[in-house]
């Protein structure tokens, strides 16, 4: 397994497969319908515009086993040091520690880019993601009860946060 920087040309289709599996079979994403291929064009454009990393992990055959990224948490200027992140692992590779590898790299990227707070928004039934976040130093910052509705039930969403020492000199404006 090796960490890589994902590119739209090489990885968009594999990333979309991972996302759509999560949409169809889990509450990791609160979408109802699989996303179309063209949705990845806008997704990658937003990552490029914000200079947000798209970190992947490939197996020895070059197959994408998972990916992670972060982006805007809220659009107002005072949130400029806070990002919301996501980590997705292909169903064939779960339980092998890949989420931890991606999370470690993502945290390092956030520090290098002078972010102060990483936010993970997690369905409260997603015990694997909660365990990953807690093992990575995140703390539970709150739960919004019945925030979503999928698969015939109300879903609670938890906010997990990690505070970083960066930036050295934060500024207003």
């Amino acid at each position: 397994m090796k960490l890589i920087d994902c590119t739209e040309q090489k990885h968009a289709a594999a990333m979309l497969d991972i996302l759509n599996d999560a949409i169809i079979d889990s509450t990791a994403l609160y979408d109802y319908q699989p996303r179309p291929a063209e949705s990845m064009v806008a997704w990658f454009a937003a990552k490029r515009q914000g200079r947000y990393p798209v970190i992947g992990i490939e197996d020895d055959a070059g197959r994408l086993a998972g990916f992670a990224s972060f982006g805007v948490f809220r659009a107002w200027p005072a949130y400029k040091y806070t990002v919301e992140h996501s980590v997705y692992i292909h169903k064939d590779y779960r339980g092998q520690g890949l989420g931890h590898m991606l999370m470690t790299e993502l945290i390092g990227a956030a520090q290098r880019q002078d972010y102060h707070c990483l936010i993970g928004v997690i369905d409260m039934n997603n015990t694997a993601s909660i365990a990953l976040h807690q093992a990575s130093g995140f703390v539970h910052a709150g739960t919004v009860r019945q925030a979503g509705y999928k698969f015939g039930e109300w879903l609670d969403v938890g906010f997990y946060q990690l505070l970083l020492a960066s930036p050295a000199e934060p500024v207003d404006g």
Side-chain angles (χ1 to χ4, degrees), residues 33-115:
Q33 299 297 321
R35 297 177 183 176
E38 58 270 12
S39 70
M40 296 307 289
V41 174
W43 190 88
F44 268 98
K47 299 302 176 183
R48 282 190 301 273
Q49 181 179 1
R51 296 182 357 160
Y52 302 127
V54 182
I55 303 162
I57 190 160
E58 290 180 336
D59 67 12
D60 294 337
R63 183 177 176 197
L64 189 68
F67 70 95
S69 188
F70 54 69
V72 173
F73 171 65
R74 306 272 308 225
W76 292 277
Y79 290 105
K80 68 183 173 185
Y81 295 115
T82 300
V83 288
E84 181 178 341
H85 68 278
S86 298
V87 177
Y88 296 101
I89 305 298
H90 187 282
K91 63 183 174 184
D92 294 343
Y93 294 93
R94 292 181 188 143
Q96 299 178 27
L98 303 183
H100 183 71
M101 291 173 63
L102 287 167
M103 183 69 82
T104 299
E105 191 66 21
L106 203 62
I107 292 167
Q111 290 172 324
R112 289 187 296 277
Q113 291 184 354
D114 276 340
Y115 289 106

Side-chain angles (χ1 to χ4, degrees), residues 25 50 62 76 90 101 114 122 129 134 136 142 154 156 163 172:
D25 291 327
W76 292 277
H90 187 282
M101 291 173 63
D114 276 340
I122 307 169
S129 184
Q134 290 173 334
S136 299
W154 289 108
D156 297 342
L163 297 178
D172 290 334

Side-chain angles (χ1 to χ4, degrees), residues 13-42:
M15 293 168 69
L16 184 63
D17 287 344
I18 293 169
L19 290 170
N20 282 339
D21 179 68
I23 291 168
I24 294 166
D25 291 327
S26 78
T27 56
L29 286 164
Y30 282 13
D31 291 353
Y32 292 124
Q33 299 297 321
R35 297 177 183 176
E38 58 270 12
S39 70
M40 296 307 289
V41 174

